[in-house]
Amino acid sequence: MFKNTIVRRPAKSMIDGITSAPELGKPDYALALKQHDSYIEALKKCGIEVTVLPALEEYPDSCFVEDVAVITRKCAIITNPGAESRNGETAGIRETIGRFFPAEKIEFITAPGTLEGGDVMMVGDHFYVGRSARTNEEGIRQFVAILERHGLSGSEVPLEHVLHLKTGVNYIEDNNMLVSGEFIDKPDFAKFNKILVPEEEAYAANCIWINGKVIVPAGYPAVEKAVREAGYEVVVTDTSEYRKLDGGLSCLSLRF
């Protein structure tokens, strides 16, 4: 069960955030703010306390707070983002995490290692880590070593096409996993009950489980239906403006 989540308000500068899909257009900032309000309400519906951090105008992508830290039940790990323009965001999250963890339980990924939280998927006490353009071999080595010091474990998953691991695969507890694209046949996930995401709804592979409920992005009926049929209560919220910056539901919060 999760008790807390941390989110950061989107900055006006988000319209200039990193994207691999410029054809979707720039985000509408006013709409993005409304969607962020709705996202926070969706989190609260799952019975969780929400800590809302102020926008950081100097960092257009800073609303994607998941990338700058990984929070486990034993420790918190401040990452070192592989996107150079995001490196300064980690300082902004350190103080907040200090409200929840003592200093000896806060660890750091350091250069030349890079790691972004979007590449990390928690399955119980094991953490799958995507090796991507943003998370390198040294970052994964440091991350797994930290986990093992705290009695946890981790393993690398090479990525071929997607930006982050959780772009295409997400664990929703009870041995159920949403999988799309390259993850459908990956041997790493053979033991899980796979809920296959159709290619035309691939964006919705990024759903989040919180305390028995699953938050699903609006506009993806096949995924919503499949999650309901798997026995979950579904909360739907729209993230269209964050999709324009390669961002999904999990990217917008730290849950612990």
Side-chain angles (χ1 to χ4, degrees):
M1 298 289 282
F2 293 132
K3 293 180 180 176
N4 294 290
T5 184
I6 298 168
V7 303
R8 186 178 291 284
R9 295 296 275 169
K12 293 189 179 92
S13 59
M14 74 175 288
I15 62 169
D16 298 315
I18 302 167
T19 183
S20 65
E23 69 278 5
L24 296 177
K26 285 185 178 286
D28 177 322
Y29 178 65
L31 181 53
L33 272 182
K34 287 179 184 172
Q35 289 181 351
H36 203 256
D37 290 338
S38 299
Y39 180 80
I40 290 169
E41 289 309 307
L43 293 170
K44 289 178 178 175
K45 283 179 188 171
C46 299
I48 198 165
E49 289 286 322
V50 183
T51 298
V52 182
L53 303 180
L56 293 174
E57 284 299 336
E58 63 269 42
Y59 297 109
D61 297 283
S62 55
C63 58
F64 301 124
V65 70
E66 178 182 63
D67 286 326
V68 295
V70 176
I71 303 185
T72 79
R73 67 183 185 86
K74 297 280 193 76
C75 64
I77 302 162
I78 308 294
T79 70
N80 184 31
E84 201 169 316
S85 63
R86 301 195 62 189
N87 281 344
E89 293 176 35
T90 55
I93 203 71
R94 167 69 180 84
E95 181 186 349
T96 304
I97 287 176
R99 298 178 208 166
F100 299 95
F101 287 85
E104 66 272 15
K105 297 284 189 181
I106 301 176
E107 305 266 12
F108 297 85
I109 303 297
T110 58
T114 64
L115 185 131
E116 294 189 3
D119 278 319
V120 178
M121 180 173 66
M122 179 176 73
V123 178
D125 282 344
H126 186 79
F127 293 76
Y128 292 95
V129 193
R131 186 168 170 186
S132 69
R134 304 282 186 84
T135 296
N136 66 17
E137 184 178 13
E138 172 60 15
I140 295 171
R141 187 198 66 75
Q142 290 181 29
F143 183 74
V144 172
I146 291 167
L147 292 174
E148 290 175 350
R149 283 203 302 275
H150 290 272
L152 307 169
S153 60
S155 58
E156 179 183 313
V157 181
L159 305 187
E160 294 153 42
H161 304 297
V162 296
L163 173 68
H164 283 138
L165 178 72
K166 284 187 298 206
T167 303
V169 56
N170 284 269
Y171 186 60
I172 54 172
E173 303 297 318
D174 305 314
N175 205 50
N176 293 321
M177 190 171 275
L178 287 160
V179 292
S180 66
E182 66 187 86
F183 299 102
I184 291 171
D185 298 316
K186 272 209 191 292
D188 311 69
F189 307 126
K191 67 182 179 182
F192 297 99
N193 174 44
K194 296 176 186 173
I195 300 171
L196 302 188
V197 174
E199 189 176 344
E200 64 274 13
E201 293 195 10
Y203 175 77
N206 186 253
C207 294
I208 46 178
W209 178 97
I210 300 178
N211 302 340
K213 297 180 174 69
V214 176
I215 304 179
V216 177
Y220 301 90
V223 172
E224 182 184 342
K225 182 171 182 277
V227 173
R228 289 188 192 280
E229 287 177 350
Y232 298 97
E233 183 179 338
V234 168
V235 179
V236 177
T237 194
D238 193 359
T239 52
S240 66
E241 301 315 289
Y242 299 93
R243 184 185 182 186
K244 294 173 182 177
L245 301 177
D246 306 322
L249 284 166
S250 74
C251 314
L252 288 164
S253 60
L254 287 164
R255 304 159 301 280
F256 56 102

